[in-house]
Amino acid sequence: METQALRLCYPFTLINTTNNNNNYRKTFSPLWRSLSTKPHTSIFSKLEATNSKASFNEAAFEAERLALDAEARQAMAVEEEESSLKDDPKAWKWVIRKRIWDLMERNNFAQNPRPVHHRIPNFVGASIAADKMRELDVFRTAQCVKVNPDSPQKQVRFLTLSDGKKLLTPQPRLRTGFFSVIESNMLTSGTIKEACTSVGVAKYGRPIGLDEKIKVDLIVIGSVAVDPKTGARLGKGEGFAELEYGMLRYMGAIDDSTLVVTSVHDCQLVDDIPVEKLLIHDVPVDIICTPTQVIFTHTSIPKPQGIYWDKLSPEKLGQIRILRELKRRIERETGQKLPTGPSEKLPPTAQRNKRG
């Protein structure tokens, strides 16, 4: 069996793509039950290890988060520059991103944190767009909403908790763990706003692992640019939204029917994302909320079915401990070596020591 044909979906399906009649297919039951998700030692994991709010150093947490964020944005800036100097198949994405970032800064459509380059950009009217999302039937009926941790979706996180829903949000760049769950009954009226911030998630959220039984009713995702006619979307270039989607798919928390919503400024609506150049793990959106309108894309772009190991470079895998643990466990349990994507050169500021 060709190991390069392996892909992880839910449940695990090993497919021999060299045999067109698919005679060989072996499905394994889910393996997450005993998977450890203990994060590496950092201010984030120290918080998880102690359950005591008194021991939580907010200043240290925020300092580390901002430092890691700055490093990641510098790394993306280097990647953007290098992609323009060579025949990079992802170069077209950076052209669109830069156009949108420049437009938002030039016309003051951007809000803090600024500049918005190499971020999911915060935009004027983000709260209005969130209010429009709140009016959607799918939001009203949702019991659990997964929301990205970026600034323009802060109001979405607030409305999720204010409406008594369960909020699922990823831990910073998946480097320190996985997801955290916050429920309104964990909070008081005075702590809901704080719980919508990165510090608040760390203080009040309950970290979960891959063995968590959870059903996500709606996914809210941040975007740099999105096509209202096709639902094609571009993020800021790190690929974490795709990994988060793949992990939720692996857990059985979502499926093809789970709607994906994004909130953006109207200037972030584009018509030049070539659908044929999108990758298999790119996540399309079903609904777009802007400060002025709600758009149902009726996207026909297939949604990712899981984690595509053959797209993950060794360097990217080295940044995310939980994926390394998962990969090792699957290989032990199945006796098959999962494929690895092509190597990529990470800028020095993006390189991390592999822990665990």
Side-chain angles (χ1 to χ4, degrees):
M1 175 176 166
E2 294 288 333
T3 56
Q4 287 304 109
L6 295 177
R7 293 189 309 185
L8 171 62
C9 299
Y10 176 87
F12 303 140
T13 303
L14 309 186
I15 304 174
N16 181 5
T17 56
T18 61
N19 186 346
N20 291 331
N21 61 14
N22 285 329
N23 286 334
Y24 186 87
R25 182 180 291 253
K26 185 175 182 181
T27 301
F28 294 88
S29 60
L31 301 171
W32 63 75
R33 301 193 186 282
S34 60
L35 178 68
S36 167
T37 58
K38 182 180 179 182
H40 64 65
T41 302
S42 71
I43 192 68
F44 304 111
S45 51
K46 288 175 184 174
L47 167 69
E48 182 179 342
T50 165
N51 294 327
S52 170
K53 292 181 182 177
S55 65
F56 178 43
N57 188 327
E58 293 186 25
F61 176 93
E62 187 66 358
E64 182 175 2
R65 185 188 71 81
L66 291 174
L68 292 175
D69 183 65
E71 287 183 5
R73 284 186 288 108
Q74 184 176 346
M76 283 187 287
V78 172
E79 181 182 349
E80 177 188 3
E81 182 178 358
E82 290 184 346
S83 73
S84 65
L85 301 176
K86 59 184 180 181
D87 187 19
D88 188 337
K90 297 183 293 184
W92 65 270
K93 291 185 176 182
W94 289 110
V95 171
I96 296 175
R97 290 181 183 116
K98 186 176 188 303
R99 186 184 78 220
I100 296 300
W101 286 326
D102 288 346
L103 175 66
M104 296 185 77
E105 286 291 345
R106 184 171 61 249
N107 291 281
N108 275 326
F109 296 146
Q111 293 197 115
N112 286 328
R114 295 178 74 173
V116 294
H117 294 76
H118 304 107
R119 304 181 193 270
I120 296 296
N122 197 9
F123 58 92
V124 174
S127 293
I128 299 174
D131 290 339
K132 288 186 178 298
M133 190 181 301
R134 187 188 202 179
E135 296 172 1
L136 295 171
D137 288 341
V138 67
F139 187 90
R140 288 178 177 174
T141 60
Q143 297 181 22
C144 178
V145 183
K146 184 266 184 184
V147 187
N148 59 297
D150 301 285
S151 297
Q153 282 72 45
K154 182 179 179 180
Q155 179 70 2
V156 178
R157 298 192 293 276
F158 175 76
L159 295 175
T160 298
L161 292 173
S162 296
D163 290 353
K165 305 179 189 299
K166 184 182 297 184
L167 171 66
L168 182 70
T169 192
Q171 296 180 17
R173 288 187 167 84
L174 297 180
R175 288 192 296 226
T176 60
F178 189 37
F179 287 94
S180 291
V181 170
I182 304 180
E183 300 186 55
S184 55
N185 59 14
M186 300 175 177
L187 308 168
T188 66
S189 58
T191 58
I192 286 184
K193 283 191 175 181
E194 184 183 11
C196 299
T197 66
S198 295
V199 170
V201 169
K203 284 177 66 174
Y204 303 111
R206 175 177 64 84
I208 68 170
L210 291 168
D211 57 346
E212 185 85 9
K213 291 296 185 182
I214 190 169
K215 181 181 183 297
V216 175
D217 302 303
L218 181 67
I219 292 178
V220 179
I221 193 170
S223 304
V224 173
V226 62
D227 189 327
K229 292 184 178 179
T230 66
R233 165 201 170 269
L234 296 183
K236 61 180 178 286
E238 286 188 294
F240 285 102
E242 287 74 21
L243 287 173
E244 291 158 12
Y245 185 94
M247 297 290 262
L248 289 174
R249 192 73 185 238
Y250 157 71
M251 293 170 67
I254 60 173
D255 56 29
D256 280 338
S257 68
T258 309
L259 295 182
V260 179
V261 188
T262 193
S263 58
V264 295
H265 192 276
D266 289 89
C267 77
Q268 293 174 257
L269 300 177
V270 301
D271 61 4
D272 58 343
I273 299 178
V275 172
E276 68 278 4
K277 290 186 178 181
L278 294 178
L279 301 176
I280 194 170
H281 57 268
D282 286 329
V283 180
V285 300
D286 299 289
I287 306 174
I288 304 168
C289 295
T290 81
T292 67
Q293 59 187 318
V294 174
I295 303 168
F296 293 83
T297 68
H298 304 291
T299 183
S300 60
I301 301 171
K303 291 178 178 173
Q305 299 298 299
I307 302 168
Y308 299 94
W309 297 101
D310 57 342
K311 306 299 181 185
L312 274 176
S313 71
E315 293 79 11
K316 189 71 172 180
L317 192 64
Q319 292 181 332
I320 306 171
R321 180 182 182 275
I322 193 169
L323 280 180
R324 297 198 304 273
E325 289 190 356
L326 177 58
K327 187 173 188 284
R328 285 195 296 264
R329 178 160 181 80
I330 294 169
E331 290 175 338
R332 284 198 308 268
E333 295 288 337
T334 64
Q336 300 285 345
K337 185 172 178 60
L338 290 172
T340 300
S343 182
E344 62 179 326
K345 180 182 177 182
L346 295 180
T349 53
Q351 294 173 358
R352 303 278 182 259
N353 292 328
K354 293 183 181 181
R355 312 181 191 184

